[in-house]
Amino acid sequence: MAIVGPVAVALHLRWPVWGAAVPFLLWWTVALLPYRPRSKTPHREPDGKELARLADPWRHVLHRAGLDPRDHRVLLTDRDTLNACATTGHDIVVTERSARTLAPNQLEAVLAHELGHRSTASFTRLTWPSRLLWWTLSALWTPVGPMWRRAVAWHRPIGFLLVFLLAALATAVTVIAVVPAALTHALHRAARPLTDRTEFQADDFAVRLGLGPGLLAAIEHRLEATPADKPLPPRLLRRAERLRRRLA
């Protein structure tokens, strides 16, 4: 808001009627959106075999954290990666591969880590403005090309008029969004250290529950599963090194 405020003042001087409102509306609309995981893979309830693997670790970590099992649930997503995430409400989402391959103590520690994100999830909302603006601009510009081809095929003035109006609208929104988009991109880059911080805080939550060794083992397992032709994830390496020092 320290940046959005001066921008709103500057736009108000240029466009007195609506200049000041645009940055605030764009920013607060996206800032108040709830955090959602980046994955578009749908979440589902675990089946019988998966529930048998998840039940004890999930119950144990909720007991350690002093949380009511009726207020929280664990879901699965059918992805072949070693990962988990905290989503809206009180849901924890675990990938099918994590539920299938992680040892019970590692799975329990991963679930504890994701529960630890409850107190730090607000930082992830800093990435939403740029993604929402990109989606808006894409939604406006994508139909322009197909509409132009249809207008040429129709040979009717109404077709070209519709293309012109849509292109004018897309251009206006693009121009208006340039400043907020630049600001949110800068905020997204500035939020990277904060993202590391939230991961560390969630790790600390698992350590306080006595699950640090299992979490370190899960991270090392994920590092070992990284294909040889791909670089090791820097964030995981930092987390592993920090956990080793913490546990030492």
Side-chain angles (χ1 to χ4, degrees):
M1 291 302 297
I3 299 175
V4 177
V7 171
V9 173
L11 290 179
H12 175 69
L13 296 177
R14 180 65 180 84
W15 296 290
V17 177
W18 50 265
V22 170
F24 283 104
L25 289 176
L26 287 174
W27 177 254
W28 284 112
T29 298
V30 297
L32 294 176
L33 285 173
Y35 168 68
R36 305 191 74 86
R38 293 183 181 182
S39 171
K40 296 182 180 180
T41 307
H43 308 150
R44 61 175 177 81
E45 297 284 348
D47 62 27
K49 185 180 295 186
E50 293 162 343
L51 186 60
R53 284 187 57 83
L54 289 167
D56 285 343
W58 183 233
R59 184 173 63 253
H60 291 163
V61 72
L62 290 176
H63 177 73
R64 286 173 180 263
L67 299 175
D68 190 342
R70 294 171 296 181
D71 295 335
H72 300 77
R73 63 175 181 168
V74 61
L75 302 174
L76 260 70
T77 182
D78 294 319
R79 296 182 60 195
D80 192 29
T81 57
L82 289 168
N83 205 355
C85 67
T87 182
T88 54
H90 295 115
D91 296 343
I92 299 297
V93 180
V94 180
T95 63
E96 186 273 336
R97 183 178 176 185
S98 295
R100 173 170 43 87
T101 62
L102 290 178
N105 67 316
Q106 297 175 9
L107 191 55
E108 186 174 345
V110 168
L111 293 171
H113 169 89
E114 298 305 332
L115 281 175
H117 274 301
R118 290 290 166 223
S119 61
T120 58
S122 59
F123 286 114
T124 61
R125 298 178 186 175
L126 291 174
T127 65
W128 258 99
S130 58
R131 280 185 280 165
L132 182 62
L133 286 171
W134 175 256
W135 177 88
T136 302
L137 296 179
S138 298
L140 286 172
W141 282 107
T142 299
V144 173
M147 286 186 64
W148 172 260
R149 290 191 291 271
R150 291 181 181 178
V152 172
W154 290 345
H155 291 287
R156 296 289 189 275
I158 185 63
F160 294 102
L161 178 61
L162 291 175
V163 173
F164 172 78
L165 292 176
L166 180 59
L169 174 63
T171 301
V173 174
T174 300
V175 172
I176 293 172
V178 165
V179 173
L183 291 175
T184 52
H185 178 71
L187 286 171
H188 176 66
R189 294 182 65 86
R192 289 180 180 176
L194 295 177
T195 304
D196 273 357
R197 181 186 172 192
T198 63
E199 292 295 321
F200 295 156
Q201 289 176 340
D203 287 345
D204 291 341
F205 179 81
V207 171
R208 289 195 298 272
L209 296 183
L211 300 172
L215 182 59
L216 177 59
I219 293 175
E220 291 175 340
H221 178 62
R222 185 174 173 186
L223 289 171
E224 292 170 358
T226 303
D229 58 339
K230 293 185 178 181
L232 296 175
R235 185 178 299 169
L236 282 182
L237 289 172
R238 291 193 293 269
R239 288 177 58 196
E241 181 60 30
R242 185 175 181 275
L243 275 172
R244 292 188 190 100
R245 293 198 304 267
R246 179 79 184 270
L247 296 175

Short mmCIF file of all heavy atoms in Angstrom, two decimals, residues 200-210 212-213 216 238-248:
data_model
loop_
_atom_site.label_atom_id
_atom_site.label_comp_id
_atom_site.label_asym_id
_atom_site.label_seq_id
_atom_site.Cartn_x
_atom_site.Cartn_y
_atom_site.Cartn_z
N PHE A 200 10.47 -21.78 6.30
CA PHE A 200 11.26 -22.00 7.52
C PHE A 200 10.36 -22.00 8.76
O PHE A 200 10.55 -22.81 9.67
CB PHE A 200 12.34 -20.92 7.67
CG PHE A 200 13.38 -20.94 6.59
CD1 PHE A 200 14.11 -19.80 6.29
CD2 PHE A 200 13.64 -22.10 5.87
CE1 PHE A 200 15.08 -19.82 5.30
CE2 PHE A 200 14.60 -22.13 4.88
CZ PHE A 200 15.32 -20.98 4.59
N GLN A 201 9.38 -21.09 8.78
CA GLN A 201 8.47 -21.05 9.92
C GLN A 201 7.63 -22.32 10.01
O GLN A 201 7.37 -22.83 11.11
CB GLN A 201 7.57 -19.81 9.81
CG GLN A 201 8.29 -18.50 10.05
CD GLN A 201 7.40 -17.30 9.84
OE1 GLN A 201 6.36 -17.39 9.18
NE2 GLN A 201 7.79 -16.15 10.37
N ALA A 202 7.19 -22.83 8.85
CA ALA A 202 6.44 -24.08 8.86
C ALA A 202 7.32 -25.24 9.29
O ALA A 202 6.87 -26.15 9.99
CB ALA A 202 5.85 -24.34 7.47
N ASP A 203 8.59 -25.22 8.87
CA ASP A 203 9.54 -26.24 9.33
C ASP A 203 9.69 -26.18 10.85
O ASP A 203 9.74 -27.21 11.53
CB ASP A 203 10.90 -26.06 8.66
CG ASP A 203 10.89 -26.46 7.19
OD1 ASP A 203 9.94 -27.13 6.76
OD2 ASP A 203 11.84 -26.08 6.48
N ASP A 204 9.80 -24.97 11.37
CA ASP A 204 9.96 -24.80 12.83
C ASP A 204 8.75 -25.36 13.57
O ASP A 204 8.88 -25.90 14.67
CB ASP A 204 10.16 -23.32 13.17
CG ASP A 204 11.50 -22.79 12.71
OD1 ASP A 204 12.40 -23.60 12.45
OD2 ASP A 204 11.64 -21.55 12.59
N PHE A 205 7.56 -25.19 12.98
CA PHE A 205 6.36 -25.74 13.59
C PHE A 205 6.47 -27.25 13.71
O PHE A 205 6.15 -27.83 14.76
CB PHE A 205 5.14 -25.34 12.75
CG PHE A 205 3.83 -25.87 13.28
CD1 PHE A 205 3.18 -25.22 14.31
CD2 PHE A 205 3.25 -27.00 12.73
CE1 PHE A 205 1.96 -25.70 14.80
CE2 PHE A 205 2.04 -27.48 13.21
CZ PHE A 205 1.39 -26.83 14.25
N ALA A 206 6.93 -27.91 12.64
CA ALA A 206 7.10 -29.37 12.68
C ALA A 206 8.16 -29.77 13.70
O ALA A 206 8.01 -30.78 14.40
CB ALA A 206 7.46 -29.89 11.29
N VAL A 207 9.23 -28.98 13.80
CA VAL A 207 10.30 -29.29 14.77
C VAL A 207 9.76 -29.17 16.19
O VAL A 207 10.05 -30.00 17.05
CB VAL A 207 11.50 -28.35 14.56
CG1 VAL A 207 12.51 -28.51 15.69
CG2 VAL A 207 12.18 -28.66 13.22
N ARG A 208 8.94 -28.14 16.44
CA ARG A 208 8.38 -27.96 17.78
C ARG A 208 7.46 -29.12 18.16
O ARG A 208 7.31 -29.43 19.35
CB ARG A 208 7.61 -26.64 17.87
CG ARG A 208 8.50 -25.41 17.86
CD ARG A 208 7.72 -24.18 18.32
NE ARG A 208 6.61 -23.87 17.44
CZ ARG A 208 6.68 -23.10 16.36
NH1 ARG A 208 7.86 -22.57 16.03
NH2 ARG A 208 5.61 -22.84 15.64
N LEU A 209 6.85 -29.75 17.17
CA LEU A 209 6.01 -30.92 17.44
C LEU A 209 6.84 -32.20 17.59
O LEU A 209 6.27 -33.28 17.79
CB LEU A 209 4.99 -31.11 16.32
CG LEU A 209 3.94 -30.00 16.16
CD1 LEU A 209 2.95 -30.37 15.06
CD2 LEU A 209 3.20 -29.74 17.46
N GLY A 210 8.16 -32.07 17.49
CA GLY A 210 9.03 -33.24 17.63
C GLY A 210 9.17 -34.05 16.35
O GLY A 210 9.59 -35.21 16.40
N GLY A 212 10.97 -33.00 13.54
CA GLY A 212 12.06 -32.48 12.72
C GLY A 212 12.82 -33.56 11.96
O GLY A 212 13.07 -33.43 10.76
N PRO A 213 13.25 -34.66 12.63
CA PRO A 213 13.99 -35.70 11.90
C PRO A 213 13.19 -36.30 10.74
O PRO A 213 13.74 -36.55 9.66
CB PRO A 213 14.28 -36.75 12.98
CG PRO A 213 14.28 -35.98 14.26
CD PRO A 213 13.23 -34.92 14.08
N LEU A 216 13.18 -33.74 7.87
CA LEU A 216 14.46 -33.74 7.17
C LEU A 216 14.60 -34.97 6.27
O LEU A 216 15.07 -34.88 5.14
CB LEU A 216 15.61 -33.68 8.18
CG LEU A 216 17.02 -33.73 7.60
CD1 LEU A 216 17.25 -32.57 6.64
CD2 LEU A 216 18.06 -33.71 8.72
N ARG A 238 18.14 -25.33 0.82
CA ARG A 238 18.24 -24.39 1.96
C ARG A 238 17.48 -24.91 3.17
O ARG A 238 17.96 -24.80 4.31
CB ARG A 238 17.72 -23.01 1.54
CG ARG A 238 18.58 -22.28 0.54
CD ARG A 238 18.17 -20.82 0.41
NE ARG A 238 16.86 -20.66 -0.17
CZ ARG A 238 16.63 -20.52 -1.48
NH1 ARG A 238 17.65 -20.55 -2.33
NH2 ARG A 238 15.40 -20.34 -1.94
N ARG A 239 16.30 -25.48 2.92
CA ARG A 239 15.53 -26.03 4.03
C ARG A 239 16.25 -27.19 4.68
O ARG A 239 16.29 -27.31 5.92
CB ARG A 239 14.16 -26.47 3.54
CG ARG A 239 13.21 -25.33 3.20
CD ARG A 239 11.90 -25.86 2.66
NE ARG A 239 11.26 -26.75 3.63
CZ ARG A 239 10.27 -27.59 3.32
NH1 ARG A 239 9.82 -27.66 2.08
NH2 ARG A 239 9.73 -28.35 4.26
N ALA A 240 16.84 -28.07 3.87
CA ALA A 240 17.55 -29.23 4.42
C ALA A 240 18.74 -28.78 5.26
O ALA A 240 18.96 -29.29 6.37
CB ALA A 240 17.99 -30.15 3.29
N GLU A 241 19.51 -27.82 4.74
CA GLU A 241 20.67 -27.36 5.47
C GLU A 241 20.27 -26.69 6.79
O GLU A 241 20.89 -26.90 7.83
CB GLU A 241 21.46 -26.37 4.60
CG GLU A 241 22.72 -25.83 5.26
CD GLU A 241 23.71 -26.93 5.63
OE1 GLU A 241 23.72 -27.97 4.94
OE2 GLU A 241 24.45 -26.75 6.62
N ARG A 242 19.20 -25.92 6.75
CA ARG A 242 18.75 -25.25 7.96
C ARG A 242 18.23 -26.26 8.98
O ARG A 242 18.49 -26.13 10.20
CB ARG A 242 17.65 -24.25 7.61
CG ARG A 242 17.17 -23.39 8.79
CD ARG A 242 16.18 -22.36 8.30
NE ARG A 242 15.73 -21.51 9.39
CZ ARG A 242 14.73 -21.81 10.22
NH1 ARG A 242 14.06 -22.96 10.07
NH2 ARG A 242 14.37 -20.99 11.19
N LEU A 243 17.52 -27.28 8.53
CA LEU A 243 17.02 -28.30 9.44
C LEU A 243 18.19 -29.09 10.06
O LEU A 243 18.13 -29.43 11.25
CB LEU A 243 16.08 -29.26 8.71
CG LEU A 243 14.61 -28.82 8.62
CD1 LEU A 243 13.84 -29.75 7.69
CD2 LEU A 243 13.97 -28.79 10.01
N ARG A 244 19.20 -29.37 9.28
CA ARG A 244 20.37 -30.08 9.83
C ARG A 244 21.01 -29.28 10.96
O ARG A 244 21.37 -29.84 12.01
CB ARG A 244 21.38 -30.38 8.73
CG ARG A 244 20.93 -31.39 7.69
CD ARG A 244 22.06 -31.76 6.76
NE ARG A 244 21.56 -32.54 5.61
CZ ARG A 244 21.34 -32.02 4.41
NH1 ARG A 244 21.61 -30.76 4.17
NH2 ARG A 244 20.87 -32.78 3.43
N ARG A 245 21.17 -27.98 10.73
CA ARG A 245 21.75 -27.14 11.77
C ARG A 245 20.83 -27.07 12.98
O ARG A 245 21.30 -27.12 14.13
CB ARG A 245 21.99 -25.73 11.23
CG ARG A 245 23.06 -25.64 10.15
CD ARG A 245 23.54 -24.20 9.98
NE ARG A 245 22.43 -23.29 9.70
CZ ARG A 245 22.05 -22.96 8.48
NH1 ARG A 245 22.65 -23.48 7.41
NH2 ARG A 245 21.05 -22.11 8.30
N ARG A 246 19.54 -26.97 12.74
CA ARG A 246 18.58 -26.88 13.85
C ARG A 246 18.57 -28.15 14.69
O ARG A 246 18.52 -28.09 15.92
CB ARG A 246 17.19 -26.61 13.25
CG ARG A 246 16.07 -26.52 14.28
CD ARG A 246 16.04 -25.18 14.97
NE ARG A 246 15.04 -25.15 16.02
CZ ARG A 246 13.77 -24.79 15.83
NH1 ARG A 246 13.36 -24.43 14.64
NH2 ARG A 246 12.93 -24.77 16.84
N LEU A 247 18.62 -29.28 14.02
CA LEU A 247 18.55 -30.55 14.73
C LEU A 247 19.89 -30.93 15.39
O LEU A 247 19.91 -31.74 16.31
CB LEU A 247 18.10 -31.67 13.80
CG LEU A 247 16.68 -31.51 13.23
CD1 LEU A 247 16.39 -32.60 12.21
CD2 LEU A 247 15.65 -31.54 14.35
N ALA A 248 20.96 -30.35 14.87
CA ALA A 248 22.28 -30.65 15.45
C ALA A 248 22.44 -30.01 16.82
O ALA A 248 23.26 -30.43 17.60
CB ALA A 248 23.39 -30.17 14.52
#
